[in-house]
Amino acid sequence: MGEQTAFDFALSQLDTAAKILQLPENLLAQLRAPYRLLTVSIPVVMDNGTTKVFTGYRSQYNHARGPFKGGIRYHPQVNEDEVKALSFWMTMKCAVVNLPLGGGKGGIIVNPKELSADELERLSRGYVLQLYKYLGPDQDIPAPDVYTNSQIMAWMLDEYEKLVGHHAPGMITGKPLSLGGSAGRSFATAMGGVYVLEEVMAKLGKKPKNTTVAIQGFGNAGSFAAKLLFERGYKIVAVSDSQGGVYNIDGIDPVKAEGIKKQGGMLGCYCLGTVCSTEEMKNLDGPCHPVTNEELLELDVDVLIPAALENQITKENADRIKAPVILELANGPTTPDADPILFGKNVLVVPDILSNAGGVTVSYFEQVQNASNYYWTEAEVLIKLEKIMKDAFHAIWEMKERHQIPMRTAAFVVAIGRVAQAMKDRG
Ligand code: GLU
């Protein structure tokens, strides 16, 4: 058998929950493939005058509960299988938090760090030119994901509005505030995860003080999670980015870490000249060490937060995970063959489709604000986000307790039940 892919993993999660739900065969068959998968070529005139052709995808997985919804990823490893898996997880995520939205996901095979801002703008506009007929506030609403941000959303909105000839701010979320973005959207994924973690801590009778946290990934989710948890008194002992990471048992100030990253690019250099001296970096008996992304996952911490890419915790390393709680802010960081190992070790895995649903929840709020052309304060957004995240947490916790199943299975059972209900009601 060849190596299992992200979409194989997604289907195996679907099958596990479908069995528990005794889902009718016809519904299961429909849920095993995306409704529509679009592949496009995007020619971009590069700054040196040559033309490069990029491949882009949009997987529209299921729209029984509402328009397709999900981010667009710019990454060299983007591929059809990954986009399909991510769009399936978006469908599940929106249902877990009970949003009136379906699931989709897009991506472009590109390393955005190698493109100039002008090239990136032309690429983003090209993606919309190829796909705009399939997008729109009532059809499919993109958002940021790995290596995309509010500026890219702004270019995409502008291109879309030019093509359709009218304003349509609700066609994309994660926009800058100046173009109808929502207060709180930039840190919403992390904030949602923090609300969920607060409930987990209450269930376990633990306090933030002296709770050690390791975070893999320092992007849209991980960097904000580090800052929000630090502000709440958690002890952040390890952070990483794609280049590597740093571990400091005395604690890391994520704002300082971010400053170093912005100056020099790499968190692995965080120690140099800041809280850890160069001397300590040399002396591995000191409190501060460089760590690889793999080592970070196996650190002896209270809470592990994978906030980068999928397939990080697998059957190969699951047995070596020491954290009793894993809060998944990435999409698909744990493979299904790792789940039983973690469950057997009593590791509480708070699944991605719950713990990272804060981002799409505030995306939904953004759309609601766009549709009514009336904007909420950050405090209003956060009150609403907190309620949705905590209600979803308790519904899933209760299901997990009732059936003595992993939280992930409980979350999929809740989500698939809701999607299947909408499909049945449509006839
Ligand atoms: N890309 C984010 C996610 O994976 C946000 C999606 C959205 O806001 O539509 O949840």
Side-chain angles (χ1 to χ4, degrees), residues 58 68-73 86 89-90 93-94 101 104-105 141-146 148 173-174 185 189 220 329-331 352 356-364 366:
R58 187 74 185 167
F68 302 105
K69 181 83 191 87
I72 300 175
R73 173 174 296 200
L86 291 163
W89 289 324
M90 280 310 304
K93 192 185 302 187
C94 291
L101 294 167
K105 195 80 167 206
I141 307 113
D145 195 73
V146 173
T148 55
T173 60
R185 177 63 186 86
T189 306
N220 292 338
L329 287 188
N331 289 307
D352 48 4
N356 75 22
V360 74
T361 301
V362 177
S363 277
Y364 164 64
E366 184 171 329

Side-chain angles (χ1 to χ4, degrees), residues 89-308:
W89 289 324
M90 280 310 304
T91 309
M92 297 297 115
K93 192 185 302 187
C94 291
V96 161
V97 279
N98 216 356
L99 306 178
L101 294 167
K105 195 80 167 206
I108 301 179
I109 306 171
V110 58
N111 182 352
K113 294 174 190 169
E114 289 170 0
L115 265 56
S116 70
D118 287 345
E119 289 166 345
L120 211 51
E121 175 172 351
R122 290 194 285 273
L123 176 67
S124 305
R125 289 181 183 278
Y127 182 85
V128 172
L129 177 63
Q130 287 286 35
L131 288 166
Y132 77 98
K133 287 184 185 141
Y134 300 95
L135 304 177
D138 302 316
Q139 267 204 95
D140 184 356
I141 307 113
D145 195 73
V146 173
Y147 294 158
T148 55
N149 57 23
S150 60
Q151 175 62 73
I152 291 173
M153 300 305 111
W155 291 325
M156 289 187 169
L157 172 72
D158 185 68
E159 187 67 19
Y160 181 85
E161 291 184 338
K162 272 188 199 150
L163 289 162
V164 299
H166 57 83
H167 283 281
M171 67 79 49
I172 202 160
T173 60
K175 300 181 288 290
L177 292 177
S178 63
L179 298 179
S182 176
R185 177 63 186 86
S186 59
F187 60 94
T189 306
M191 195 68 239
V194 170
Y195 290 140
V196 167
L197 186 60
E198 279 174 2
E199 298 308 282
V200 171
M201 298 284 284
K203 291 278 182 204
L204 302 179
K206 287 192 175 162
K207 295 263 171 296
K209 197 171 168 336
N210 297 325
T211 294
T212 55
V213 183
I215 304 176
Q216 186 198 48
F218 211 72
N220 292 338
S223 69
F224 288 109
K227 283 180 265 178
L228 293 170
L229 291 171
F230 181 77
E231 282 165 12
R232 281 160 181 76
Y234 290 81
K235 192 167 168 188
I236 313 299
V237 294
V239 291
S240 71
D241 62 18
S242 62
Q243 309 298 313
V246 60
Y247 173 49
N248 186 345
I249 42 173
D250 288 346
I252 291 166
D253 178 342
V255 176
K256 285 190 190 153
E258 188 171 50
I260 295 292
K261 187 175 159 67
K262 279 192 180 137
Q263 277 169 31
M266 286 198 296
L267 280 177
C269 304
Y270 166 59
C271 288
L272 302 175
T274 61
V275 287
C276 316
S277 70
T278 318
E279 267 323 293
E280 282 165 329
M281 279 292 276
K282 280 190 216 142
N283 170 14
L284 291 184
D285 292 332
C288 187
H289 307 279
V291 280
T292 64
N293 271 292
E294 295 74 37
E295 287 163 350
L296 182 143
L297 299 171
E298 297 171 21
L299 291 174
D300 189 3
V301 292
D302 298 311
V303 181
L304 172 64
I305 305 186

